Amino acid sequence: MSPLRPRPKQETTEKPATSPRPARGKGGKNRREDILRAAGTLMAAKGYDATSMRDISAAVGMLPGSVYYHFPSKEALFVELHNDVVQTMTARVLAALEGVDDPWERLRLSARAHLEGLIQNDNLVAIVSPQFIGGEKEVAQVVTDHRRTYEQIFRDIFEALNLPEGADPTILRLGLFGSLNWVPVWYEGDGRRSPAEISDQFVATLKSAYAA
Amino acid sequence: MSPLRPRPKQETTEKPATSPRPARGKGGKNRREDILRAAGTLMAAKGYDATSMRDISAAVGMLPGSVYYHFPSKEALFVELHNDVVQTMTARVLAALEGVDDPWERLRLSARAHLEGLIQNDNLVAIVSPQFIGGEKEVAQVVTDHRRTYEQIFRDIFEALNLPEGADPTILRLGLFGSLNWVPVWYEGDGRRSPAEISDQFVATLKSAYAA
Amino acid sequence: MSPLRPRPKQETTEKPATSPRPARGKGGKNRREDILRAAGTLMAAKGYDATSMRDISAAVGMLPGSVYYHFPSKEALFVELHNDVVQTMTARVLAALEGVDDPWERLRLSARAHLEGLIQNDNLVAIVSPQFIGGEKEVAQVVTDHRRTYEQIFRDIFEALNLPEGADPTILRLGLFGSLNWVPVWYEGDGRRSPAEISDQFVATLKSAYAA
Amino acid sequence: MSPLRPRPKQETTEKPATSPRPARGKGGKNRREDILRAAGTLMAAKGYDATSMRDISAAVGMLPGSVYYHFPSKEALFVELHNDVVQTMTARVLAALEGVDDPWERLRLSARAHLEGLIQNDNLVAIVSPQFIGGEKEVAQVVTDHRRTYEQIFRDIFEALNLPEGADPTILRLGLFGSLNWVPVWYEGDGRRSPAEISDQFVATLKSAYAA
DNA sequence: CATGAATGAGGATTCATTCAT
DNA sequence: AATGAATGAATCCTCATTCAT
């Protein structure tokens, strides 16, 4: 763990309180998902490196070794988590687009869905973030692939905007993505501005600048 | 400068021949800066957690323990590095603004200076990255303070734009920052689009949407 | 048989259709032997310590826990495996001696049978290997007992040679054993020299030196 | 650790007794050699896999992590140990041959030196042993190379014997090696037969069989 | 200024084993 | 006869850090 983000040493007192010792064959059938959820929360909060398997296992009430029954490695756990997140985000965005035809409206709604997903599930913040994993090996590729697939949705939407000459759709799309993905860095859930208002403002800027 | 430990940056000329052993044959006059530079490069590439003091010391040809002569801790090293980076960026942006009065031109040039600094010194990428503010400790606060100071320049520039009703300068500024800071995530130095072109496009969008 | 758990080796024909579920589609009738075989191969290749119950269970298509239905512990599994191996070797050597009377010919044939068994069943290599007797526990004793029983055959054969004064039968027997057991260390199944040729050479040396 | 060779749980009572806590900068300058010696003893007794870095560090009065200051990995430690052992053995054998010209006498003396080295330094037993390391990767190759170099001495000696037709020097050499290397498996330091007597007997057999 | 040697805590991972189902 | 899920202890190793020299 990084000393930059220390962790309370013995938080054993704040256990789920359901049962003092969960015995062998716990009720909930899918501990896998518990683990994924816990890992998501922790990694979003502290980063991949700063989140230890100990942390994850403790969060889900297991011993560290037990996590390895479900996932062969921390990396594999992360990859699956990342995949899940992208899956969820994809579904969310596609749902928002359902039945909407106007190109600029489609952009507005997808940006909104993206940002709301980012803010609500704090899972997602770090996930979509770059150079995320220390070892820049195969995992980085997998993660990049996941992201690319997701971004295809936005590529298509930008395509349909029929932007005027001089407006590079790729740069504008990546610029919008940057704006949105950066929001969690400064956003404070104080309610002054909702994610929806924020993303609407970003898209409004684009529309105001480039709509026919 | 660093709140933890002031550093004699320019006045090394005062006592050039005092040290009987001229250090391990390294050209650079003081190792402190070597360490900072190495730490910057490594942390930018791999992140704070994934960069060990061993890595840093090895990169500068020292033993791990020796780094502690120069910096009391990894944390302090990082804080000073971050401060340096912000200092450098500030100087770069202010230099670019010198003698320029037109508000939109000022925005264009400062955005350009920011992005070019980001891309050139790979130092800077990770520093400004969200992952570094996850924690809730003093360091996080210091880092946030550094950034806030730097961003004040941009706050002022946006103020001067006199944006129309309905255009929230804060959101637009943070949106631009997001766009710019996200560039290193996808930018590949393949020369197809220069950082300058990219930042110009972002600013052009804002201008096109909101300029009087 | 194993002192820990008797095993119905040959009488499996008695109740061929009792089990309603014919096991996971495997051909071999009982999984116990599959496990033993797999354990033998793996332990021969990697050693006792380096062979995990996971390895063994995977090799036979089971989950690790399932092995414990058949064997109470890794130790017990090994003891039984070792016993089996010695049993097999004993049978092989005795078969080779059948009907042979000449003492030197008996030595030649038994050495040949021993080495061929060693080379063919790679099972056997590691089993007879010194590394396995390092420990000071009961298992080590059991294993040593197994081996001693087997070696009795050779003790008898050497006795019958009526070696001349000055030729210590014990040392010569152990020397021959060493020569033979060491062969797997350097033998490469390239066919240049067959195990039979090798063992014949060893025995020929003894005969040439000590035969009346 | 293998359950075959369990280890007393808390033998902290049997510390060297020199000083209750060795403080920071211990007196003896080369802890490296201490580590190598300890590792040698332990690995010879229990095998590579069964000897943990904990064991080694405890034997030399260090914390496990401290060993890594001296050796980058368990494997590297083993490789160096193995190299040292071969070096020592080589020196021992060459010293024994000094000034001796008669070919059979050279064989007798080198075999004696080999076996005495094997028995005295219990280090050496396991080292010269085969399939020693679990992971049969590069290390296995290095170890094999070490051994091959050492065995060249014996190859030369056998060459000089001018064995008659039909006596394969390679097989005989490997047979002798097997006989000698197997001795530690059965030898008990009860003094009935000295290593020298044993090795002399092995060589005498060869000479009796093949000397002109 | 720096090294050499260590510490102590924690990192990911693997192990033999258990047991309810 | 075997699975699925977990345990607890041990594995190798890395980390930031210390300090006598």
Side-chain angles (χ1 to χ4, degrees):
Chain A
M1 264 269 277
S2 150
L4 278 181
R5 330 186 183 95
R7 178 187 35 135
K9 286 229 160 147
Q10 286 298 113
E11 72 268 58
T12 34
T13 42
E14 42 176 339
K15 267 198 186 150
T18 35
S19 79
R21 202 179 159 275
R24 275 293 164 73
K26 202 159 189 175
K29 57 175 77 76
N30 35 4
R31 313 285 275 126
R32 256 186 86 88
E33 302 218 8
D34 295 353
I35 296 172
L36 279 170
R37 225 181 339 256
T41 303
L42 288 166
M43 288 184 176
K46 313 195 294 180
Y48 176 87
D49 286 304
T51 302
S52 71
M53 292 299 262
R54 268 160 161 75
D55 292 341
I56 296 169
S57 72
V60 59
M62 271 174 166
L63 291 176
S66 305
V67 176
Y68 286 81
Y69 176 77
H70 301 279
F71 301 93
S73 72
K74 189 183 176 186
E75 256 186 25
L77 166 50
F78 171 73
V79 167
E80 181 153 340
L81 170 62
H82 190 268
N83 194 44
D84 278 14
V85 163
V86 172
Q87 218 83 25
T88 304
M89 287 292 269
T90 302
R92 180 191 294 265
V93 170
L94 290 182
L97 292 176
E98 196 105 20
V100 180
D101 283 330
D102 177 66
W104 283 101
E105 189 63 5
R106 285 175 67 84
L107 181 59
R108 193 179 69 87
L109 292 173
S110 57
R112 195 191 267 235
H114 178 76
L115 184 54
E116 283 179 341
L118 234 50
I119 298 287
Q120 278 171 39
N121 292 30
D122 50 20
N123 274 11
L124 313 177
V125 183
I127 308 304
V128 200
S129 161
Q131 305 107 315
F132 189 49
I133 308 210
E136 53 243 85
K137 338 197 175 221
E138 318 142 33
V139 182
Q141 193 50 53
V142 174
V143 164
T144 301
D145 287 353
H146 287 170
R147 248 218 330 269
R148 213 187 300 277
T149 303
Y150 174 63
E151 291 181 10
Q152 185 59 44
I153 304 175
F154 290 83
R155 251 189 299 272
D156 292 344
I157 291 178
F158 266 87
E159 206 74 42
L161 290 179
N162 265 319
L163 295 175
E165 280 285 317
D168 184 329
T170 300
I171 290 191
L172 293 177
R173 172 174 54 82
L174 293 166
L176 176 60
F177 244 78
S179 295
L180 295 170
N181 290 338
W182 197 252
V183 171
V185 175
W186 52 267
Y187 185 76
E188 305 183 5
D190 53 357
R192 284 191 314 181
R193 283 175 285 241
S194 71
E197 285 171 316
I198 293 167
S199 65
D200 280 2
Q201 172 95 110
F202 291 153
V203 172
T205 299
L206 284 170
K207 184 173 184 186
S208 185
Y210 301 115
Chain B
M1 286 293 155
S2 159
L4 290 180
R5 183 179 271 245
R7 177 183 44 122
K9 207 175 190 178
Q10 243 20 49
E11 62 269 63
T12 32
T13 41
E14 296 178 326
K15 302 174 91 189
T18 20
S19 112
R21 251 226 287 108
R24 274 284 209 75
K26 284 272 173 183
K29 39 178 114 43
N30 60 348
R31 317 289 274 131
R32 276 196 113 238
E33 299 221 14
D34 294 352
I35 295 173
L36 280 170
R37 221 177 347 251
T41 304
L42 288 166
M43 288 185 175
K46 314 196 294 179
Y48 176 88
D49 286 301
T51 302
S52 70
M53 292 299 263
R54 271 161 169 70
D55 292 341
I56 296 169
S57 71
V60 61
M62 271 172 168
L63 290 176
S66 307
V67 175
Y68 285 81
Y69 177 81
H70 301 281
F71 300 93
S73 72
K74 187 184 178 184
E75 218 173 89
L77 166 51
F78 171 73
V79 167
E80 182 155 340
L81 168 63
H82 190 269
N83 192 44
D84 277 14
V85 162
V86 172
Q87 217 82 22
T88 304
M89 287 292 269
T90 302
R92 180 190 293 266
V93 170
L94 291 182
L97 292 177
E98 196 107 18
V100 180
D101 283 331
D102 177 65
W104 282 102
E105 189 62 5
R106 285 175 67 82
L107 180 61
R108 191 178 71 87
L109 292 174
S110 58
R112 196 191 265 235
H114 178 76
L115 184 55
E116 283 179 341
L118 233 52
I119 298 286
Q120 278 171 40
N121 292 32
D122 50 22
N123 274 11
L124 315 176
V125 183
I127 308 302
V128 204
S129 156
Q131 237 53 49
F132 275 120
I133 342 170
E136 58 259 88
K137 264 276 168 280
E138 319 145 30
V139 181
Q141 193 51 52
V142 173
V143 164
T144 301
D145 287 353
H146 288 169
R147 249 222 329 272
R148 211 186 305 276
T149 304
Y150 174 63
E151 291 180 11
Q152 185 58 44
I153 305 173
F154 290 83
R155 250 189 300 271
D156 293 344
I157 290 177
F158 266 87
E159 207 71 44
L161 290 178
N162 265 318
L163 294 175
E165 279 287 317
D168 184 328
T170 300
I171 290 190
L172 292 178
R173 173 176 52 85
L174 292 167
L176 177 60
F177 244 79
S179 295
L180 294 170
N181 289 338
W182 197 253
V183 171
V185 175
W186 53 267
Y187 184 75
E188 306 183 3
D190 53 358
R192 283 190 315 180
R193 283 176 284 243
S194 71
E197 285 171 317
I198 293 167
S199 64
D200 280 3
Q201 172 95 112
F202 291 154
V203 173
T205 298
L206 284 170
K207 184 173 184 187
S208 184
Y210 300 116
Chain C
M1 285 292 160
S2 158
L4 290 179
R5 184 179 271 242
R7 177 182 44 123
K9 206 176 190 176
Q10 242 23 47
E11 61 271 61
T12 32
T13 42
E14 295 177 331
K15 303 175 90 190
T18 18
S19 115
R21 252 226 285 109
R24 273 286 207 72
K26 284 272 171 181
K29 36 177 110 51
N30 60 345
R31 318 287 274 129
R32 277 195 114 237
E33 300 221 14
D34 295 352
I35 295 172
L36 280 170
R37 226 183 335 259
T41 304
L42 287 166
M43 288 184 177
K46 314 196 294 180
Y48 176 89
D49 286 300
T51 302
S52 70
M53 292 299 264
R54 271 162 171 69
D55 292 341
I56 296 169
S57 70
V60 61
M62 271 173 168
L63 291 175
S66 307
V67 175
Y68 286 81
Y69 177 81
H70 300 280
F71 300 93
S73 72
K74 188 184 177 186
E75 219 173 88
L77 166 50
F78 171 73
V79 167
E80 182 155 340
L81 169 63
H82 189 269
N83 192 43
D84 277 15
V85 162
V86 172
Q87 217 81 23
T88 303
M89 288 292 268
T90 302
R92 179 190 293 265
V93 171
L94 290 182
L97 292 177
E98 196 107 20
V100 180
D101 283 330
D102 177 66
W104 283 101
E105 189 63 6
R106 284 175 68 83
L107 181 60
R108 192 179 70 88
L109 292 173
S110 58
R112 195 190 267 234
H114 178 75
L115 183 54
E116 282 179 343
L118 234 51
I119 297 287
Q120 279 170 39
N121 291 31
D122 50 21
N123 273 14
L124 314 177
V125 182
I127 308 303
V128 204
S129 155
Q131 237 53 49
F132 275 119
I133 342 171
E136 57 258 271
K137 264 278 170 278
E138 319 145 30
V139 181
Q141 194 50 53
V142 173
V143 164
T144 301
D145 287 353
H146 287 169
R147 248 222 329 273
R148 213 187 302 275
T149 304
Y150 174 64
E151 291 180 10
Q152 185 58 45
I153 304 174
F154 290 83
R155 251 187 300 271
D156 292 344
I157 290 176
F158 266 87
E159 206 72 45
L161 289 179
N162 264 318
L163 294 175
E165 279 286 316
D168 183 329
T170 299
I171 289 191
L172 292 178
R173 172 175 53 83
L174 292 167
L176 177 60
F177 244 78
S179 295
L180 294 170
N181 290 337
W182 197 253
V183 171
V185 175
W186 52 267
Y187 185 75
E188 305 183 4
D190 53 358
R192 283 191 314 180
R193 283 176 284 242
S194 70
E197 285 170 316
I198 294 167
S199 65
D200 279 4
Q201 172 96 112
F202 291 154
V203 173
T205 299
L206 284 170
K207 184 173 183 186
S208 184
Y210 302 114
Chain D
M1 264 270 275
S2 149
L4 278 181
R5 330 185 182 96
R7 177 187 36 134
K9 287 229 159 146
Q10 287 297 112
E11 73 269 56
T12 32
T13 42
E14 40 176 341
K15 267 195 185 157
T18 36
S19 80
R21 204 180 158 274
R24 273 295 163 71
K26 204 161 189 176
K29 58 174 77 73
N30 35 5
R31 314 285 276 127
R32 255 186 87 88
E33 301 218 9
D34 295 354
I35 296 173
L36 279 170
R37 221 176 348 250
T41 304
L42 287 166
M43 288 184 176
K46 314 195 293 181
Y48 176 88
D49 286 302
T51 302
S52 71
M53 291 301 260
R54 268 161 162 72
D55 293 342
I56 296 169
S57 72
V60 58
M62 271 174 167
L63 291 177
S66 305
V67 176
Y68 286 82
Y69 176 77
H70 301 278
F71 301 94
S73 71
K74 189 183 175 185
E75 256 187 24
L77 166 51
F78 171 73
V79 166
E80 181 153 340
L81 170 63
H82 189 268
N83 194 42
D84 278 14
V85 162
V86 172
Q87 219 83 26
T88 304
M89 287 292 268
T90 302
R92 180 191 293 266
V93 170
L94 290 182
L97 291 177
E98 196 107 19
V100 181
D101 282 330
D102 177 65
W104 283 101
E105 188 63 7
R106 283 174 68 84
L107 180 61
R108 192 180 70 86
L109 291 173
S110 58
R112 195 190 266 234
H114 178 76
L115 183 54
E116 283 179 342
L118 234 52
I119 298 287
Q120 278 170 39
N121 293 31
D122 50 20
N123 274 12
L124 313 178
V125 183
I127 308 303
V128 200
S129 161
Q131 305 107 314
F132 190 50
I133 308 210
E136 55 243 84
K137 337 197 176 218
E138 319 142 34
V139 182
Q141 193 51 51
V142 173
V143 165
T144 301
D145 288 352
H146 287 169
R147 248 221 326 272
R148 212 186 302 276
T149 303
Y150 175 64
E151 291 180 10
Q152 185 59 43
I153 304 174
F154 290 83
R155 250 189 299 273
D156 293 344
I157 291 176
F158 266 87
E159 205 73 42
L161 289 180
N162 265 317
L163 295 175
E165 280 287 317
D168 184 329
T170 300
I171 290 191
L172 292 178
R173 172 176 54 84
L174 293 166
L176 176 60
F177 243 79
S179 294
L180 294 170
N181 290 337
W182 197 252
V183 171
V185 175
W186 53 266
Y187 185 76
E188 306 183 1
D190 53 358
R192 284 190 314 181
R193 283 175 284 241
S194 71
E197 285 171 317
I198 293 168
S199 65
D200 280 3
Q201 172 95 108
F202 292 154
V203 173
T205 299
L206 284 170
K207 184 174 184 186
S208 184
Y210 300 115

